[in-house]
């Protein structure tokens, strides 16, 4: 039996748990949920943390498939206001499932989330839901909450825990390698976003025979390959896309551009995205005399980003280990650039080398090293005659590993291993 036939054997009722939904920086969760719905599965997405949802940045098709299928928990920051809201939430929960299952009457189960009352609002969010086949925690940090809700009888289903990034890097560094010890026996299946994160999870105790690697998929229908732009007599046009955080390494990229300009290279850099580092990055560019060479666009629509990619010569992804120890998996921004034929220079960081193979689908540089980043960009430029073949190989790698239909096949296989339908 091939994977495609195995994963379509029956419809599943799937609860997807994330921090907040929708979040503009996490369109991959919406895309995956919509693809599951398209295949006939019953999907509900729950935002479990007190995160204010942002706009749905996915396509209209994705938005329409998920209409009415998601909700998020909210609670006031003010303690007194939270208490009043918790009383109302408890009343709603008791009307749905009875007094015995209310978190206010189960302090031994909920403990920490009982003290800050967050459990009350999470219970209100999920109370009265019919049983699920799959309870998919998109980040391992959410599994604690889902397990407690299961123990209280508010949720049921096979538990699948996903390691996506900060949960297997920053959280483990801050809390220690035993942080997830209680999950190894409770979860039915684990998923890692890349091989590197799988190895990290196994290294702290995750059962190696119960973890699968399933990357974040992209809908390639929205990313049409075109021949790369050959650098001409004008400035070299570089582009970088992502949240403006220290993990994305944009300060290293600005330093690299400064070195290239000082060496006589005429270049322009466009940085697409927003975040807490924007002011410091703008100040760094100004201090290095690059105010006219580095453009900060802020957040852009997918259409506008597509236009910027079409104009660029090279996409640069200089991710590096954050101050808290955070790492990136192969990011969707790199996949999208590779899919449309833009040559890529990335850092040897996290799961990046699983996507960008040096000299084959792009070039790689040491992370947090401006000089080596310059060298990798210049090396990519020296390979310009080979860009047509290199970018076609890059597109093929994305198609073979991250096309949403293939990723969904892998995800459903993981679900069916969790339920015992596939071994």
């Amino acid at each position: 039996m091939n994977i495609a036939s195995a994963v379509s054997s029956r419809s599943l009722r799937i609860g997807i748990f994330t921090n907040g939904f929708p979040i503009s920086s996490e369109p991959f969760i919406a895309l995956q949920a919509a693809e599951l719905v398209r295949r006939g599965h019953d999907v509900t997405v729950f935002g479990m943390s007190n995160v204010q949802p942002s706009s749905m940045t996915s396509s209209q098709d994705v938005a329409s498939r998920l209409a009415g299928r998601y909700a998020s928990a909210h609670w006031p920051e003010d303690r007194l206001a939270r208490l009043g809201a918790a009383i109302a939430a408890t009343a709603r929960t008791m009307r749905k499932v009875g007094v015995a299952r209310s978190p206010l009457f189960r302090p031994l189960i909920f403990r920490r989330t009982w003290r800050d009352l967050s459990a009350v609002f999470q219970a209100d969010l999920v109370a009265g839901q019919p049983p699920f086949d799959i309870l998919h925690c998109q980040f391992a940090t959410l599994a604690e909450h889902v397990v407690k809700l299961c123990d209280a009888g508010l949720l049921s289903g096979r538990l699948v825990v996903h390691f996506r990034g900060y949960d297997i890097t920053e959280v483990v560094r801050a809390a220690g390698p035993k942080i997830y010890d209680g999950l190894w026996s409770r979860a039915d299946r684990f998923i890692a976003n890349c091989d590197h994160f799988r190895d990290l999870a196994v290294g702290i105790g995750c059962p190696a025979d119960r973890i699968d690697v399933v990357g974040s998929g992209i809908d390639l229908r929205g990313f049409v390959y075109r021949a790369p732009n050959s650098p001409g007599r004008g400035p070299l046009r570089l582009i970088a896309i992502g949240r403006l955080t220290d993990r994305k390494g944009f300060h290293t990229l600005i330093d690299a551009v400064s070195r290239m300009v000082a060496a006589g290279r005429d270049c322009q850099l466009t940085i697409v995205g927003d975040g807490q580092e924007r002011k410091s990055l703008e100040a760094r560019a100004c201090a290095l005399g690059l105010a006219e060479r580095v453009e900060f666009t802020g957040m852009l629509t997918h259409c506008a980003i597509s236009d910027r990619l079409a104009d660029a010569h090279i996409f640069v992804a200089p991710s590096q280990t954050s101050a808290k120890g955070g790492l990136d998996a192969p990011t969707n921004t790199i996949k999208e650039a590779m899919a449309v034929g833009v040559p890529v220079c990335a850092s040897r960081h996290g799961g990046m080398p699983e996507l960008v193979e040096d000299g084959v689908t792009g070039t790689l540089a040491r992370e947090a090293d401006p000089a080596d980043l310059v060298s990798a960009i210049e090396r990519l430029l020296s390979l310009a005659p080979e860009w047509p073949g290199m970018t076609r190989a890059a597109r093929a790698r994305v198609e073979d590993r991250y096309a949403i239909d293939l990723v969904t096949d892998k995800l459903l296989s993981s679900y069916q291993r969790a339920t015992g339908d596939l071994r």
Side-chain angles (χ1 to χ4, degrees):
M1 180 185 293
N2 62 34
I3 290 179
S5 61
V7 298
S8 61
S9 58
R10 70 181 179 96
S11 176
L12 298 172
R13 178 164 161 74
I14 303 164
I16 294 177
F17 300 86
T18 188
N19 289 303
F21 191 87
I23 299 295
S24 59
S25 61
E26 297 174 355
F28 50 87
I29 294 178
L31 175 63
Q32 186 64 85
E35 179 64 14
L36 290 168
V37 172
R38 189 189 70 79
R39 295 198 184 194
H41 301 284
D42 183 6
V43 177
T44 306
V45 185
F46 300 99
M48 299 295 286
S49 304
N50 203 24
V51 175
Q52 183 64 39
S54 53
S55 59
M56 178 76 77
T57 57
S58 304
S59 69
Q60 184 57 46
D61 178 63
V62 168
S64 63
R65 289 187 188 280
L66 296 181
R69 292 181 174 272
Y70 58 88
S72 292
H74 300 287
W75 53 89
E77 293 296 331
D78 177 76
R79 183 71 180 181
L80 186 59
R82 187 183 307 180
L83 180 60
I87 292 172
T90 295
R92 289 191 295 269
T93 299
M94 289 192 297
R95 284 196 295 270
K96 295 175 186 175
V97 297
V99 174
R101 295 181 185 178
S102 169
L104 283 185
F105 301 100
R106 311 296 293 273
L108 295 181
I109 290 178
F110 290 96
R111 297 184 297 279
R112 177 180 61 81
T113 55
W114 184 86
R115 291 193 297 272
D116 68 13
L117 298 176
S118 59
V120 172
F121 299 97
Q122 292 170 340
D124 182 34
L125 180 68
V126 305
Q129 289 286 335
F132 289 94
D133 295 294
I134 296 292
L135 303 171
H136 184 170
C137 297
Q138 288 289 326
F139 301 93
T141 48
L142 298 169
E144 168 197 2
H145 308 303
V146 173
V147 165
K148 290 175 180 179
L149 291 166
C150 289
D151 289 346
L154 290 161
L155 282 174
S156 66
R158 298 299 181 94
L159 181 62
V160 176
V161 177
H162 209 133
F163 294 104
R164 284 198 172 273
Y166 77 89
D167 48 0
I168 193 60
T169 57
E170 294 180 15
V171 171
V172 172
R173 176 171 169 177
K178 297 185 179 297
I179 180 66
Y180 299 123
D181 278 4
L183 281 182
W184 307 139
S185 62
R186 290 299 302 266
D188 297 279
R189 202 78 191 170
F190 299 91
I191 296 174
N193 208 26
C194 60
D195 291 330
H196 186 67
F197 290 169
R198 178 194 182 278
D199 293 343
L200 291 179
V202 171
I204 62 170
C206 181
D209 61 343
R210 286 196 286 121
I211 184 168
D212 304 308
V213 176
V214 181
S216 295
I218 68 171
D219 185 354
L220 287 168
R221 293 173 300 178
F223 300 93
V224 178
Y225 175 85
R226 56 155 182 79
N229 292 321
S230 296
R233 296 196 175 196
L236 173 67
R237 297 187 296 275
L238 307 175
I239 188 170
I241 303 173
R243 285 172 291 171
L244 305 191
T245 64
D246 64 338
R247 190 174 75 235
K248 297 304 179 182
F250 293 144
H251 54 291
T252 298
L253 175 55
I254 291 172
D255 289 352
V257 169
S258 176
R259 289 169 180 250
M260 292 172 72
V261 170
R265 172 72 70 181
D266 184 12
C267 59
Q268 299 281 341
L269 169 63
T270 298
I271 297 179
V272 179
D274 220 331
Q276 66 265 31
E277 295 284 312
R278 179 165 180 171
K279 287 185 178 180
S280 65
L281 290 169
E282 289 176 333
R284 193 184 200 100
C286 287
L288 292 171
L290 301 175
E292 301 302 316
R293 291 182 178 272
V294 180
E295 177 190 13
F296 294 87
T297 70
M299 294 289 291
L300 295 178
T301 65
H302 281 290
C303 183
I305 291 173
S306 179
D307 290 341
R308 296 296 184 121
L309 284 171
D311 187 55
H313 292 122
I314 293 175
F315 181 93
V316 188
S319 292
Q320 60 192 59
T321 306
S322 73
K324 295 181 179 179
L327 302 175
D328 274 336
T331 63
N332 275 22
T333 55
I334 299 179
K335 298 168 195 171
E336 292 164 3
M338 291 170 67
V340 300
V342 182
V344 170
C345 177
S347 54
R348 288 187 179 87
H349 162 92
M352 300 283 203
E354 298 172 33
L355 179 58
V356 181
E357 184 179 354
D358 195 70
V360 178
T361 60
T363 57
L364 292 169
R366 288 190 297 272
E367 66 172 82
D369 188 333
D372 202 54
L373 183 56
V374 170
S375 177
I377 293 172
E378 293 291 350
R379 187 154 41 87
L380 186 57
L381 282 168
S382 73
L383 294 171
E386 300 176 32
W387 281 6
M390 180 178 286
T391 56
R392 283 194 293 269
R395 168 77 185 201
R397 178 157 299 189
V398 175
E399 290 176 344
D400 292 344
R401 299 187 183 185
Y402 301 105
I404 188 60
D405 55 339
L406 298 178
V407 167
T408 305
D409 283 348
K410 292 179 181 179
L411 179 63
L412 287 169
S413 293
S414 190
Y415 286 170
Q416 292 194 316
R417 291 187 185 96
T419 62
D421 293 340
L422 184 67
R423 299 186 183 279

